[in-house]
């Protein structure tokens, strides 16, 4: 697998985990304000996934989806962490931890894939910007 494909698959998987994480938590959110912020984040993740998918299909590359085990672990983590605490603060912290993890991993990929296609690098930077914005938007719920 070449660098461009690896980077695009990573971008796709990172954004897809955001979508899955939000799907697992949004029914636990009681605040309409927080729910609106989370839905906006999910919309951004869908856009990144769609762009990564389009770029890989244009290059006749295979898309590697998230493993079933990772999806299941994310589901149980969300349910466990909201079982007895559905406060805005708790949910914002959970979402911020995911965004922080994404920021670290995206930056690492950007550092390691400097020779990748400019469009793939640009999409990774878009995802990084989205994750940073997500953190800022969630801070008011702490």
């Amino acid at each position: 697998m070449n660098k461009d494909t690896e980077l695009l698959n990573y971008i796709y998987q990172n954004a897809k985990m955001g979508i899955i994480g939000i799907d697992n938590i949004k029914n636990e959110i009681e605040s309409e304000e927080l729910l609106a912020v989370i839905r906006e984040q999910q919309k951004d993740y869908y856009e990144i996934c769609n762009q990564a998918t389009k770029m890989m299909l244009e290059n006749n590359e295979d898309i590697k989806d998230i493993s079933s085990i990772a999806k299941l672990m994310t589901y149980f983590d969300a349910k466990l962490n909201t079982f007895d605490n559905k406060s805005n603060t708790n949910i914002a912290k959970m979402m911020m931890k995911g965004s922080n993890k994404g920021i670290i991993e995206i930056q690492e990929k950007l550092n390691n894939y400097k020779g990748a296609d400019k469009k793939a690098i640009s999409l990774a930077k878009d995802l990084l910007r989205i994750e940073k914005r997500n953190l800022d938007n969630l801070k008011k719920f702490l």
Side-chain angles (χ1 to χ4, degrees):
M1 187 180 313
N2 68 40
K3 282 187 169 194
D4 298 340
T5 303
E6 287 177 12
L7 181 57
L8 287 169
N9 264 304
Y10 170 75
I11 293 166
Y12 173 85
Q13 290 173 352
N14 182 292
K16 185 74 176 227
M17 281 302 287
I19 293 167
I20 291 167
I22 290 170
D23 280 341
N24 290 332
I25 199 113
K26 66 183 175 187
N27 291 334
E28 307 298 330
I29 300 172
E30 297 170 355
S31 163
E32 287 300 319
E33 185 182 5
L34 178 56
L35 187 58
V37 169
I38 298 298
R39 284 186 176 146
E40 188 64 30
Q41 290 177 4
Q42 191 172 44
K43 184 178 124 188
D44 291 337
Y45 289 137
Y46 272 115
E47 181 61 31
I48 292 291
C49 276
N50 289 338
Q51 288 181 34
T53 299
K54 180 182 175 192
M55 291 170 72
M56 287 195 297
L57 291 175
E58 287 173 354
N59 295 326
N60 295 317
E61 299 290 349
D62 291 330
I63 301 164
K64 295 197 183 208
D65 204 1
I66 306 292
S67 74
S68 297
I69 292 171
K71 290 177 185 177
L72 195 58
M73 288 175 58
T74 301
Y75 172 80
F76 284 118
D77 186 52
K79 297 307 174 193
L80 180 66
N81 285 308
T82 58
F83 178 73
D84 64 349
N85 187 353
K86 294 179 170 95
S87 69
N88 287 350
T89 299
N90 186 50
I91 291 171
K93 283 180 184 178
M94 289 173 56
M95 296 304 296
M96 291 174 81
K97 285 178 186 176
S99 288
N100 273 325
K101 182 179 178 186
I103 288 168
I104 292 166
E105 291 177 359
I106 296 162
Q107 189 60 61
E108 181 181 28
K109 297 297 182 201
L110 283 167
N111 292 347
N112 292 328
Y113 289 83
K114 291 187 192 274
D117 178 73
K118 289 183 193 307
K119 289 181 183 177
I121 295 287
S122 177
L123 189 59
K125 287 180 179 178
D126 288 345
L127 181 56
L128 181 61
R129 180 185 45 78
I130 287 167
E131 292 289 20
K132 288 178 179 178
R133 186 180 68 219
N134 289 349
L135 284 178
D136 288 339
N137 291 339
L138 289 166
K139 286 178 183 176
K140 66 183 173 183
F141 296 100
L142 295 177

